[in-house]
Structures are given as C-alpha cells and as structure tokens.
Amino acid sequence: MSPMGSGGVVTLAVVLLVAVVALLSPAGRRVATSALGSVGRWPALIRAELRGKAPLSDDPRGDTTPDIPVVADESLPPTRGLPQVGRPRR
C-alpha cells in the first residue's frame, strides 16, 4: 500500500476537521443521531424482508400516498380493452 501524498493528508485533515465541527453543533448531533438510528434499524428491516414480510407497508406514518376518491361516472359508455387507432382524415 502506497502512502498518501501531502495533498491526500491535507484533504483528510480538512474532512476530519469539518466532521468534528459539524458534530459539535446541535444540528450536526441531531443529524448524526438520526442517521445512526436509521442504520441501526437496517438489520431488522432486512430480516423482515427475508421472511417475506414488508415492514413498511403496514406503517401508516411512512405512507405519503394521498387518498384519491374513486369516482364512477355512469354516463360514459364502456370503453374497449385496447385503444382503436385510425388514419387521420384529410
């Protein structure tokens, strides 16, 4: 393994300094805590997926799909299964 050059050492030092400064702020700690909590749930999610259970489908908090009401219009004639495409009239 070859040693890093001076540019690599400086880049690594800057990245570590930015990470330490971010973790010192309250917002950075909240982000780190939520990221670690999310990563901590991965093994349980993977095990549930391997068992054939979809763990997120029963959780109403994760469902952001809006409820769209079904509207049946009885005045429209029934449509065919496939669209009928014809030549344009001249």
Side-chain angles (χ1 to χ4, degrees):
M1 191 175 215
S2 64
M4 292 190 300
S6 63
V9 171
V10 170
T11 303
L12 182 62
V14 169
V15 167
L16 287 175
L17 180 66
V18 169
V20 167
V21 169
L23 288 176
L24 290 177
S25 70
R29 284 193 299 270
R30 281 194 304 268
V31 168
T33 302
S34 67
L36 288 175
S38 174
V39 171
R41 286 194 324 246
W42 287 356
L45 292 174
I46 292 170
R47 282 192 303 272
E49 193 69 32
L50 289 174
R51 285 193 309 264
K53 297 181 180 179
L56 299 179
S57 65
D58 296 334
D59 187 12
R61 293 174 295 167
D63 186 17
T64 59
T65 306
D67 292 330
I68 301 172
V70 177
V71 178
D73 190 0
E74 302 297 331
S75 65
L76 295 175
T79 58
R80 297 181 183 187
L82 297 174
Q84 301 295 318
V85 180
R87 292 184 179 183
R89 295 184 183 178
R90 293 183 187 211

